[in-house]
């Protein structure tokens, strides 16, 4: 079963705007302008079972891989820690 992010980050924090905290010249903002992953779920849907526990959102996984490549993070465990700690990711 394909998972999908259903809650936007703005709803998790009272009076917090992620847009205001990430600098306009951050590398990931530049990458985000050119990378369109909106069709990734539809493209990968045939590879997911309709039953079972929902997976991690495939768009999130691809974005995490891009972060890992851009910042030279080779370990999946380290990548998860970095994404958890750094708001820009």
């Amino acid at each position: 079963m394909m998972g999908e992010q259903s809650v936007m980050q703005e709803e998790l924090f009272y009076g917090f705007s992620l847009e205001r905290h990430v600098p306009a010249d951050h590398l990931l903002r530049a990458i985000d302008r050119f990378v369109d992953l909106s069709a990734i779920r539809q493209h990968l849907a045939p590879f997911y079972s309709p039953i079972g526990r929902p997976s991690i959102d495939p768009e999130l996984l691809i974005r995490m891989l891009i972060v890992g490549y851009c910042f030279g993070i080779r370990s999946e465990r380290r990548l998860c820690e970095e994404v958890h700690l750094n708001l820009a990711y």
Side-chain angles (χ1 to χ4, degrees):
M1 179 183 294
M2 184 185 305
E4 181 175 349
Q5 286 183 315
S6 59
V7 177
M8 299 308 290
Q9 286 185 333
E10 293 82 16
E11 296 174 9
L12 295 176
F13 303 101
Y14 180 76
F16 178 82
S17 171
L18 190 60
E19 294 296 319
R20 285 184 286 168
H21 283 79
V22 179
D25 61 344
H26 196 279
L27 173 65
L28 295 178
R29 283 195 187 268
I31 291 171
D32 192 48
R33 288 185 197 112
F34 298 103
V35 176
D36 179 23
L37 297 175
S38 60
I40 197 80
R41 285 185 202 90
Q42 185 180 16
H43 181 70
L44 295 176
F47 300 104
Y48 286 86
S49 172
I51 59 172
R53 184 176 179 195
S55 70
I56 297 172
D57 186 355
E59 182 179 344
L60 176 63
L61 286 175
I62 300 298
R63 288 184 183 277
M64 286 179 66
L65 285 173
I66 292 171
V67 167
Y69 293 137
C70 289
F71 292 100
I73 303 170
R74 296 181 183 174
S75 163
E76 287 182 22
R77 182 175 293 160
R78 173 88 191 277
L79 178 59
C80 288
E81 290 171 359
E82 289 291 327
V83 168
H84 182 75
L85 293 174
N86 194 330
L87 291 176
Y89 299 160

